[in-house]
Amino acid sequence: MLRVEGSDANVLVIDASAHIRRLVTTLLGALGVRSCSEARGTVQAVAQVIKHQPDLIVLDLGGDATESLLFVHRLRRGEFGDRTLPVLGVSPSTHHAVLELAWEAGVNDVIGKPISAIEVIQRAGALLEERGKHDGSARAAAE
């Protein structure tokens, strides 16, 4: 299993359901992530992104999908936070039209509901690993 041992990664989990936020946070803990912050919605999430500067966002696309996709679009435009911050969407539908809208908004990857523990761990781990490589190459280029 992929693990981010000793990870100082910070993940923001955005979902209206406290149960789902706790579940995702627990799964990320199994991955080795030590720091997770939570937000009930995208309005609260903007402040969390600015305050905690996460390395990954796990975003529910099910409640108000338009609001969620607008959040990602604003992030990608650089209105708040790092515009390259990876976003893992969690959607009740994996229909190609839904996936296309998510990708057009800037979501990096999407998993379907009901969520699978293995899928959350693998996809989040891959995005964090990719982010680590990106950050590492940026640091090396700066030196």
Side-chain angles (χ1 to χ4, degrees):
M1 175 170 63
L2 178 65
R3 288 187 57 81
V4 187
E5 286 297 333
S7 173
D8 60 355
N10 181 19
V11 178
L12 173 60
V13 180
I14 307 167
D15 196 294
S17 167
H19 172 73
I20 296 296
R21 292 193 310 266
R22 280 191 303 271
L23 174 62
V24 172
T25 298
T26 300
L27 293 173
L28 293 170
L31 180 62
V33 172
R34 293 187 207 166
S35 177
C36 286
S37 51
E38 300 178 6
R40 287 187 49 156
T42 58
V43 173
Q44 183 185 20
V46 170
Q48 294 287 347
V49 169
I50 294 167
K51 180 179 179 182
H52 296 287
Q53 300 176 355
D55 299 297
L56 171 67
I57 293 176
V58 179
L59 173 64
D60 176 35
L61 301 174
D64 185 346
T66 303
E67 184 180 312
S68 296
L69 295 177
L70 180 60
F71 169 84
V72 177
H73 182 71
R74 290 180 57 215
L75 175 69
R76 295 297 180 237
R77 283 196 335 222
E79 290 185 26
F80 57 90
D82 177 358
R83 64 179 7 171
T84 66
L85 180 61
V87 177
L88 175 60
V90 181
S91 176
S93 172
T94 54
H95 187 272
H96 73 277
V98 173
L99 296 176
E100 190 172 313
L101 285 172
W103 290 325
E104 285 177 3
V107 174
N108 297 79
D109 201 355
V110 178
I111 58 174
K113 288 183 178 179
I115 61 174
S116 152
I118 292 171
E119 198 168 22
V120 170
I121 291 168
Q122 287 178 339
R123 304 269 184 103
L127 289 171
L128 285 169
E129 186 176 280
E130 185 177 308
R131 173 81 170 176
K133 287 179 184 174
H134 170 74
D135 288 349
S137 62
R139 276 188 226 112
E143 291 176 352

